[in-house]
């Protein structure tokens, strides 16, 4: 089957992309509005950008032409925390994707325990096994709907003690939840060892 992108509307293109680009890691992001309301929302277009300094990026679309709470808060305050959720948090991650009014905190609605950030004023979700405190660096706008790729520098890593050895995180023990097509989630599952003649491990 051949499908020309010129013939696709937003929904059709979106369905094809999220079915082809899998699994996608989830950035579960907490922000704080200028009024002090703590927002939490998941984003599954998320990746590493740089290792020196450590930088990460995620894409956030607009809703009805307006910024979502996460993007608005980051633009206004310049601070946020990205959490990596494990399988035990999948229900909370999914519930936080619902649309809430600007003045309603998902943290309060979902009764998520939080702890203060060390270097940013945004609180982090206590149950998340990994959290990245970030300062906003820049954004690039793409597409007809004004989606933004937002890049931040990681200023503080929080990693649960049992997950890290010699500076490396044990991915299988982390058991991160990821996104597939539609409202379907997955974990790491079966892993494939490095091919016998492979020499590189940094791509």
């Amino acid at each position: 089957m051949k499908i020309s992108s010129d013939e696709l509307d937003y929904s059709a293109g979106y369905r094809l992309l999220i079915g082809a680009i899998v699994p996608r890691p989830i950035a579960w992001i907490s922000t704080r509005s200028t009024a002090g309301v703590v927002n939490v929302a998941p984003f599954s277009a998320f990746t590493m950008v740089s290792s020196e300094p450590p930088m990460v990026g995620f894409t956030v679309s607009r809703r009805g032409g307006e910024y979502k709470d996460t993007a608005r808060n980051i633009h206004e305050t310049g601070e946020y925390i990205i959490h990596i959720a494990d399988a035990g948090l999948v229900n909370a991650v999914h519930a936080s994707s619902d649309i809430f009014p600007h003045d309603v905190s998902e943290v309060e609605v979902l009764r998520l325990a939080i702890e203060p950030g060390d270097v940013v004023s945004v609180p982090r979700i206590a149950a998340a096994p990994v959290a990245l405190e970030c300062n906003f660096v820049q954004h690039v706008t793409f597409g007809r709907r004004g989606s933004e790729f937002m890049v931040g520098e990681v200023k503080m890593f929080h990693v649960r003690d049992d997950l890290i050895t010699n500076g490396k995180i044990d991915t299988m023990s982390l058991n991160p939840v990821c996104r597939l097509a539609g409202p379907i989630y997955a974990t790491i599952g079966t892993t494939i060892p490095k091919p016998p003649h492979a020499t590189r491990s940094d791509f």
Side-chain angles (χ1 to χ4, degrees):
M1 177 181 291
K2 296 182 180 180
I3 304 171
S4 171
S5 62
D6 292 337
E7 301 172 359
L8 300 177
D9 62 13
Y10 168 79
S11 296
Y14 178 76
R15 287 194 298 269
L16 289 173
L17 287 171
I18 66 170
I21 304 171
V22 290
R24 298 186 306 282
I26 298 172
W28 198 23
I29 302 177
S30 62
T31 58
R32 188 196 296 272
S33 72
T34 53
V37 178
V38 178
N39 174 267
V40 178
F43 297 88
S44 62
F46 166 48
T47 190
M48 162 184 164
V49 174
S50 166
S51 59
E52 188 181 2
M55 301 172 76
V56 291
F58 72 99
T59 299
V60 54
S61 61
R62 299 198 184 203
R63 182 181 293 122
E66 300 292 329
Y67 280 136
K68 293 182 179 179
D69 290 342
T70 298
R72 179 186 298 106
N73 292 346
I74 291 174
H75 278 298
E76 291 178 349
T77 70
E79 298 180 328
Y80 56 105
I81 300 181
I82 293 180
H83 306 81
I84 307 302
D86 59 19
L89 291 168
V90 65
N91 289 335
V93 169
H94 187 73
S96 70
S97 68
D98 287 345
I99 300 174
F100 294 87
H102 299 315
D103 59 349
V104 173
S105 171
E106 290 86 352
V107 165
E108 296 178 2
V109 172
L110 301 176
R111 298 182 179 181
L112 297 171
I114 56 175
E115 296 181 357
D118 283 22
V119 297
V120 301
S121 63
V122 179
R124 63 186 176 90
I125 300 167
V130 175
L132 316 175
E133 297 191 35
C134 299
N135 284 340
F136 178 52
V137 175
Q138 70 180 84
H139 76 279
V140 181
T141 303
F142 293 96
R144 290 186 288 271
R145 288 175 171 254
S147 294
E148 291 188 1
F149 182 65
M150 308 190 77
V151 177
E153 180 178 346
V154 181
K155 305 302 292 185
M156 180 68 69
F157 290 83
H158 297 268
V159 183
R160 201 174 67 208
D161 290 346
D162 62 296
L163 294 178
I164 194 162
T165 303
N166 296 326
K168 294 182 178 181
I169 295 175
D170 183 338
T171 306
M172 297 305 291
S173 295
L174 172 59
N175 196 25
V177 63
C178 57
R179 189 69 185 265
L180 304 179
I184 301 173
Y185 298 84
T187 53
I188 293 297
T190 302
T191 59
I192 301 172
K194 183 176 72 173
H197 300 297
T199 58
R200 292 191 59 184
S201 60
D202 60 347
F203 71 92

